[in-house]
Amino acid sequence: MKKEKIIVIGAGLCGLYTAFLLQKKGIEVLILEANTRIGGRIKTITGATAVTMEMGATWFGNQHRHLLEVLQTLELPYFRQHTKGISLFETMSFVPPQKFEISDSEEPSFRIEGGTATLIEKLTSEIGMQNIKTQTKIVAIKEQNNQLIVTDSSGNTYSADKVISTIPPNLFVNSVIFEPKLPDNFTQLATKTHTWMGESIKFAVEYKTPFWKQNNYSGTLFSQASIIQEMYDHSTANNSGFALKGFLNGGTAVLSFEERKEKVIAQLTAFFGPEASDYVAYYENVWREEPLTFQPYEQLVLAHQNNGHSLFKTPLLNDKLYVSGAETATQNPGYMDGAIFAAKTIASQLPHNSKQ
């Protein structure tokens, strides 16, 4: 059994950035990720026309200082979300949508050039794939002789001085067996902590041309009556690939992929004309069906509930187990900025390795 200095659970943005910061302190890190892919709730897919579409975390703004600083350090360019032209707001299904324009003076939101996954790819290359193990689902954490013994679903064990979990707290306490047991107040808090993206159904429709822009529509749409609740232009930074992307009504999780797709195309055609039905492909991601990032709640949990709670600041199992992740951040919890801030918070608590 190889002894690791620190094990990080989860190769999402928080896990990767935590490892990146710890390596800079001369600490040996191993990241264990349950999924086959790296990135967690950052998931960029590439269409047939080479357009990149975000099925997970996408936007950020000027208030997200921690993320902006990381993008600058890693030299990753970003661009302003396109909002020029006529935007639509539908209040009732039997009334035509209201038209409005988004002022240029409004706080802009940004997207990363080449897709959010470029941030994940850059951090992965900095950390080194040899320090990341995918398809490794943690099922038990046991305190033993001043070490933590971590067991995965295949029965492999790993030993570490400290373990940092960056997966959503509700998922963490419901999927791992702890020995000794974690304090009741902590477990209860974790099960009542909202998991970001948990209820989201993200969709994208890929097109050969940005017909909406050509007809002076921004691609922005809000609806209280149809399947698409919120949508934006999703063309690439250099305008070489085109898509519309947004969120579907969470209640439509009960429908099939084909039923949702049909309703989406019908809504787009009703609003933008017949050109909307001439699409390249339709994509979606139902996040509640992702068991490696979402665990259903035992009781009603509201959006943002307990995110950034002060109890997450205290390490467990005699200061060897840290519970981190975007949900625990005290600044912008749930956002990419929160994931970065949570990583910085934990990394600042761990001393440099003097035995370099």
Side-chain angles (χ1 to χ4, degrees):
M1 190 162 61
K2 184 170 178 286
K3 181 179 164 301
E4 301 295 339
K5 287 296 288 181
I6 291 185
I7 285 174
V8 172
I9 300 172
L13 179 55
C14 183
L16 292 172
Y17 196 62
T18 302
F20 173 81
L21 293 175
L22 294 178
Q23 281 182 342
K24 294 230 174 299
K25 288 185 153 190
I27 298 170
E28 192 186 335
V29 188
L30 175 67
I31 303 179
L32 301 177
E33 166 57 55
N35 215 327
T36 51
R37 64 175 190 87
I38 291 170
R41 286 167 281 177
I42 288 175
K43 186 178 181 182
T44 306
I45 57 173
T46 305
T49 61
V51 65
T52 52
M53 293 162 284
E54 304 301 343
M55 292 291 115
T58 310
W59 296 280
F60 53 97
N62 284 322
Q63 72 275 31
H64 295 146
R65 302 259 167 250
H66 305 287
L67 176 62
L68 292 171
E69 188 188 302
V70 170
L71 294 176
Q72 199 175 349
T73 305
L74 299 175
E75 297 178 348
L76 293 172
Y78 54 94
F79 65 108
R80 189 175 177 153
Q81 169 66 41
H82 173 82
T83 53
K84 255 191 182 33
I86 300 161
S87 298
L88 300 173
F89 178 53
E90 181 188 39
T91 49
M92 285 170 275
S93 56
F94 51 86
V95 180
Q98 297 163 14
K99 296 180 173 184
F100 68 98
E101 299 221 9
I102 295 166
S103 156
D104 267 355
S105 61
E106 278 209 19
E107 236 346 91
S109 57
F110 303 106
R111 283 160 47 206
I112 298 171
E113 277 187 29
T116 318
T118 57
L119 172 55
I120 296 298
E121 287 153 17
K122 183 78 175 170
L123 285 171
T124 302
S125 70
E126 293 277 339
I127 293 156
M129 260 320 284
Q130 70 276 14
N131 300 310
I132 304 171
K133 199 166 181 281
T134 56
Q135 299 183 63
T136 307
K137 187 178 191 298
I138 303 312
V139 293
I141 297 175
K142 181 181 180 180
E143 188 179 12
Q144 193 178 302
N145 310 330
N146 210 25
Q147 290 279 304
L148 290 182
I149 309 296
V150 175
T151 307
D152 70 19
S153 55
S154 306
N156 303 312
T157 55
Y158 311 82
S159 132
D161 296 332
K162 293 186 190 301
V163 172
I164 302 166
S165 169
T166 65
I167 66 175
N170 181 42
L171 176 67
F172 184 52
V173 298
N174 275 296
S175 57
V176 178
I177 293 163
F178 302 93
E179 198 182 319
K181 276 201 166 91
L182 299 185
D184 279 349
N185 64 338
F186 180 84
T187 303
Q188 279 164 13
L189 169 71
T191 60
K192 293 187 194 120
T193 298
H194 178 249
T195 298
W196 274 71
M197 300 269 281
E199 300 76 24
S200 296
I201 306 176
K202 284 212 162 176
F203 81 98
V205 188
E206 179 182 5
Y207 288 99
K208 282 198 179 72
T209 63
F211 64 88
W212 57 94
K213 288 189 199 173
Q214 292 156 4
N215 298 332
N216 195 32
Y217 283 103
S218 64
T220 303
L221 159 69
F222 300 101
S223 172
Q224 295 170 335
S226 306
I227 185 165
I228 301 172
Q229 284 191 323
E230 199 180 316
M231 185 181 80
Y232 304 92
D233 171 87
H234 212 61
S235 307
T236 55
N238 62 0
N239 271 315
S240 62
F242 312 102
L244 290 168
K245 192 209 85 163
F247 298 86
L248 302 184
N249 179 321
T252 62
V254 296
L255 302 177
S256 70
F257 173 90
E258 284 303 326
E259 287 169 324
R260 283 190 295 266
K261 172 179 163 178
E262 204 176 300
K263 284 182 184 295
V264 166
I265 302 304
Q267 186 180 347
L268 293 178
T269 307
F271 287 2
F272 297 121
E275 287 172 289
S277 60
D278 184 21
Y279 59 95
V280 176
Y282 169 85
Y283 309 88
E284 64 173 32
N285 208 90
V286 183
W287 282 95
R288 71 176 67 213
E289 289 169 11
E290 300 266 355
L292 301 177
T293 49
F294 181 70
Q295 164 83 24
Y297 308 109
E298 288 162 13
Q299 64 218 66
L300 179 70
V301 170
L302 303 172
H304 317 307
Q305 191 171 324
N306 290 320
N307 287 168
H309 194 285
S310 59
L311 199 55
F312 289 124
K313 289 180 179 169
T314 313
L316 305 157
L317 301 179
N318 293 310
D319 294 350
K320 289 191 280 292
L321 175 64
Y322 292 80
V323 176
S324 182
E327 278 77 10
T328 70
T330 51
Q331 290 183 22
N332 295 315
Y335 292 96
M336 290 189 277
D337 193 69
I340 297 284
F341 186 70
K344 282 180 164 182
T345 305
I346 296 283
S348 68
Q349 291 174 34
L350 298 168
H352 280 77
N353 183 6
S354 50
K355 303 186 209 110
Q356 283 186 42

